[in-house]
Amino acid sequence: VIPSLVFVDATTGKVVCRNGLLVVRDDPKGLEFPWGPKPFAEVVAGPLLRNNRQTTDSSSLEGHYVGVYFSAHWCPPCRSLTRVLVESYRTVKESGQKFEIVFVSADRSEESFKQYFSEMPWLAVPYSDEARRSRLNRLYGIQGIPTLILLDTEGHMITRQGRVEVLNDLECRLFPWHPRPVLELSESNAVQLHEGPCLVLFVDAEEEGELEPAKELIQPIAEKLMAKYKAKEEETPLLFFVAGEDDMSDSLRDYTNLPEAAPLLTILDMSARAKYVRDVEEITPAVVEQFVSDFLAEKLKPEPI
């Protein structure tokens, strides 16, 4: 999406803020410079609404898992997610977990906010508090809706992919939806291919369960990378997928113009429209590890998608 403005700390190379345009709009005099991330509790601080018009203070969220839900009534995918999320919310609450959702509206009027919020059993930032809604959008670099961010009981992010997780786990068995190191490519999680660079291992598997050996092959490498970046409090720079032989894999191969070979080891970077392909006879952990480390060290030559 352009125009786009990202602020980076030149000494560490860390991204300070992805939503620079909102920052410039909200803080034209630079009073909040250097615009680094603040704790969720500080950004959300203030009264929150219930749909029975009662208010509660944001401090009531302490010790809870929290879903921060960016959504609007005018957006059809938002309305469908809300219907599912209402059921998920009840399921998790009934299981005895401390869980709350905070709705951050992108509605175009107070009236449509009220109408939409009347369907929701959770909390909301008041529509009139535009500054707080905007600060929450900035905090999580929201680029599109619906987005559901899951936070742990300390206010640290568990996943940005709450939407995918809720739709893939209707019984909420995997709540609070910690990221899994390796995903099996499916229609519902394919949206994550656009989140950043993704390693996709295509294998010759048509039946359920045939993807397991491929997952076991790359899982330790994915786990190691996740742990390394978690220790640095940074997002993992690569997502990991395995893909079998189905319509989803076929359309991804067609879209990215990949050969029909299997197994085929690739890294796809949709936003940069770049791909990296390692077509070898046998894919071993050593081959994958080398491929990943060469990619992260920028030693691989990209081909256009």
Side-chain angles (χ1 to χ4, degrees):
V1 183
I2 53 170
S4 184
L5 178 60
V6 176
F7 292 108
V8 176
D9 179 340
T11 52
T12 62
K14 270 191 179 181
V15 172
V16 173
C17 172
R18 293 180 190 283
N19 274 20
L21 294 176
L22 277 180
V23 168
V24 172
R25 190 194 74 187
D26 293 350
D27 185 21
K29 293 186 177 172
L31 301 176
E32 291 178 38
F33 184 82
W35 304 307
K38 296 183 168 71
F40 169 71
E42 188 181 316
V43 179
V44 81
L48 297 170
L49 303 177
R50 289 215 175 269
N51 65 16
N52 59 7
R53 301 221 173 114
Q54 288 184 327
T55 64
T56 181
D57 190 74
S58 59
S59 59
S60 66
L61 298 170
E62 280 174 26
H64 285 65
Y65 289 104
V66 176
V68 191
Y69 184 34
F70 298 86
S71 185
H73 191 259
W74 52 262
C75 148
C78 293
R79 294 200 300 274
S80 349
L81 179 60
T82 297
R83 285 193 288 275
V84 177
L85 194 52
V86 166
E87 294 308 313
S88 302
Y89 176 76
R90 291 193 174 124
T91 302
V92 173
K93 297 280 270 189
E94 283 164 14
S95 76
Q97 298 265 19
K98 286 183 140 189
F99 179 47
E100 196 46 84
I101 292 176
V102 177
F103 169 43
V104 183
S105 168
D107 287 294
R108 291 170 178 154
S109 71
E110 175 100 36
E111 207 40 58
S112 61
F113 161 74
K114 282 180 179 162
Q115 183 192 344
Y116 193 28
F117 186 44
S118 70
E119 304 165 17
M120 301 177 182
W122 45 71
L123 301 169
V125 174
Y127 185 78
S128 56
D129 196 342
E130 196 176 333
R132 193 163 27 145
R133 290 191 288 124
S134 185
R135 283 198 300 272
L136 284 160
N137 271 278
R138 265 165 47 194
L139 179 63
Y140 296 115
I142 301 303
Q143 303 287 346
I145 54 172
T147 294
L148 177 64
I149 306 274
L150 264 295
L151 307 178
D152 67 15
T153 53
E154 303 288 311
H156 301 131
M157 192 190 300
I158 294 174
T159 179
R160 307 179 64 85
Q161 299 298 334
R163 175 194 187 182
V164 172
E165 297 294 354
V166 164
L167 295 175
N168 272 345
D169 182 24
L170 297 177
E171 293 175 6
C172 306
R173 286 187 181 153
L174 299 173
F175 178 85
W177 299 302
H178 285 283
R180 291 184 296 294
V182 182
L183 296 172
E184 292 184 19
L185 184 68
S186 68
E187 274 188 39
S188 55
N189 64 28
V191 63
Q192 289 178 249
L193 293 168
H194 295 274
E195 287 282 313
C198 296
L199 180 140
V200 185
L201 173 56
F202 292 89
V203 290
D204 191 359
E206 290 177 31
E207 301 301 317
E208 193 114 339
E210 286 187 0
L211 287 171
E212 278 311 308
K215 275 173 86 172
E216 285 166 17
L217 175 78
I218 61 176
Q219 180 120 349
I221 298 156
E223 284 173 348
K224 197 162 121 187
L225 197 66
M226 278 174 87
K228 179 182 168 185
Y229 281 85
K230 191 175 182 184
K232 294 201 271 186
E233 294 188 0
E234 289 179 24
E235 282 187 41
T236 308
L238 197 58
L239 296 177
F240 290 76
F241 288 86
V242 290
E245 290 185 291
D246 55 25
D247 294 345
M248 186 67 239
S249 298
D250 290 346
S251 58
L252 179 60
R253 280 182 190 261
D254 291 345
Y255 179 71
T256 53
N257 204 11
L258 286 169
E260 282 301 310
L264 184 68
L265 184 61
T266 66
I267 290 174
L268 306 175
D269 187 347
M270 298 297 202
S271 58
R273 299 200 57 75
K275 66 183 176 197
Y276 307 83
V277 182
R278 182 64 48 95
D279 187 0
V280 289
E281 281 296 304
E282 190 189 357
I283 291 172
T284 62
V287 167
V288 178
E289 199 141 14
Q290 190 62 53
F291 188 48
V292 169
S293 73
D294 286 351
F295 170 76
L296 295 174
E298 298 183 5
K299 290 180 181 172
L300 301 178
K301 192 171 183 293
E303 297 173 48
I305 284 182

